[in-house]
Amino acid sequence: KGSVMLEIVDLTKTFGPIVAVDDVSFAVPAGEVLGFLGPNGAGKSTTMKMIAGFLAPTAGTAIICGHDILARPLAAKRQIGYLPEGAPAYPDMSAAEFLGFIARVRGFRGAEARKRVARIAELINIADVLQQPIETLSKGYRRRVGVAQALLHDPAVIILDEPTDGLDPNQKHEMRGIIRALSPGRAIIISTHLLEEVEAVCSRAIIIANGRILADGTPAELAARSRFHNA
């Protein structure tokens, strides 16, 4: 395993009396794909939003490639690719316009921006829908456009909130292959409901419920602990 690229330190988030994330800490080294498992409302998305700098923590912090997300947000965010839940995008833009916009936001211009968009469109297999408005795309293609924007700038830390949600079995298989291929030299977190997904792509899994880490180990270790087969 490589050096630690992402360190989560005592991350806590409360919304009024509700504790959504309760003192969560873990570290992700380069080369690791960490699966984030848990029921809806367990705190997965809230944790990911805090790591990405999208939501301010009540306490604790995240350190991305040595940059504290609170103290040095821009330096930290340059290293992060983030797919939020639901893969939001601008519906009236074409996929090409949207990815071009993301390229500019990430600091690429002209030929370099076009090259990046073309390369990521090929990798994620969306080249054939680039000219379509995003609102006309199927849920699966929309999800892939969301993954493409997260990877466009070749980030060291990749945070994907349910990257295969809405994909058919073939697309799921393809997306898992892409995630596996990206893992060398990067730290990747994917949240999912699917144990099979964790077994297919993750080298490690954390189960979170009620905002706390219940288990942390290899997929095989977690499957062995399950009271129900594959649950």
Side-chain angles (χ1 to χ4, degrees):
K1 281 278 184 275
S3 56
V4 169
M5 288 190 139
L6 172 61
E7 193 178 355
I8 312 304
V9 187
D10 304 331
L11 217 44
T12 298
K13 183 68 182 177
T14 56
F15 297 98
I18 296 160
V19 182
V21 176
D22 189 2
D23 197 27
V24 166
S25 298
F26 58 88
V28 188
E32 184 158 273
V33 182
L34 172 64
F36 221 36
L37 274 154
N40 280 330
K44 299 190 301 290
S45 291
T46 305
T47 300
M48 293 172 122
K49 284 174 187 166
M50 289 191 285
I51 296 168
F54 188 72
L55 193 61
T58 306
T61 193
I63 298 158
I64 292 99
C65 300
H67 306 294
D68 186 311
I69 192 72
L70 298 177
R72 305 193 56 201
L74 272 175
K77 287 176 188 181
R78 281 191 190 105
Q79 306 290 339
I80 299 174
Y82 173 47
L83 172 71
E85 64 186 316
Y90 294 103
D92 49 349
M93 278 187 179
S94 71
E97 287 167 336
F98 176 62
L99 292 174
F101 167 67
I102 297 293
R104 288 194 298 280
V105 168
R106 289 292 185 179
F108 303 112
R109 296 285 179 270
E112 173 67 15
R114 286 192 296 276
K115 191 175 83 184
R116 293 235 165 210
V117 170
R119 189 163 64 208
I120 206 69
E122 196 174 330
L123 175 74
I124 308 293
N125 216 338
I126 51 172
D128 50 343
V129 300
L130 276 179
Q131 303 315 320
Q132 281 180 236
I134 287 171
E135 64 193 347
T136 69
L137 297 179
S138 69
K139 192 176 176 187
Y141 268 119
R142 237 174 288 177
R143 182 66 87 209
R144 287 152 90 168
V145 170
V147 172
Q149 67 74 25
L151 303 181
L152 190 75
H153 58 299
D154 200 22
V157 173
I158 300 170
I159 301 165
L160 305 174
D161 204 342
E162 300 199 10
T164 64
D165 187 44
L167 304 191
D168 69 32
N170 286 341
Q171 293 169 330
K172 275 189 164 73
H173 180 75
E174 197 179 328
M175 184 64 78
R176 290 167 185 171
I178 289 163
I179 292 166
R180 272 196 305 269
L182 286 167
S183 62
R186 293 185 181 84
I188 303 178
I189 299 182
I190 65 164
S191 83
T192 179
H193 297 293
L194 307 168
L195 196 58
E196 58 171 272
E197 184 141 274
V198 171
E199 287 171 340
V201 292
C202 300
S203 47
R204 175 180 168 201
I206 283 180
I207 295 177
I208 185 169
N210 301 318
R212 303 198 77 132
I213 291 175
L214 296 189
D216 181 351
T218 66
E221 284 164 3
L222 294 191
R225 287 178 53 175
S226 173
R227 284 176 301 148
F228 319 105
H229 181 63
N230 273 353

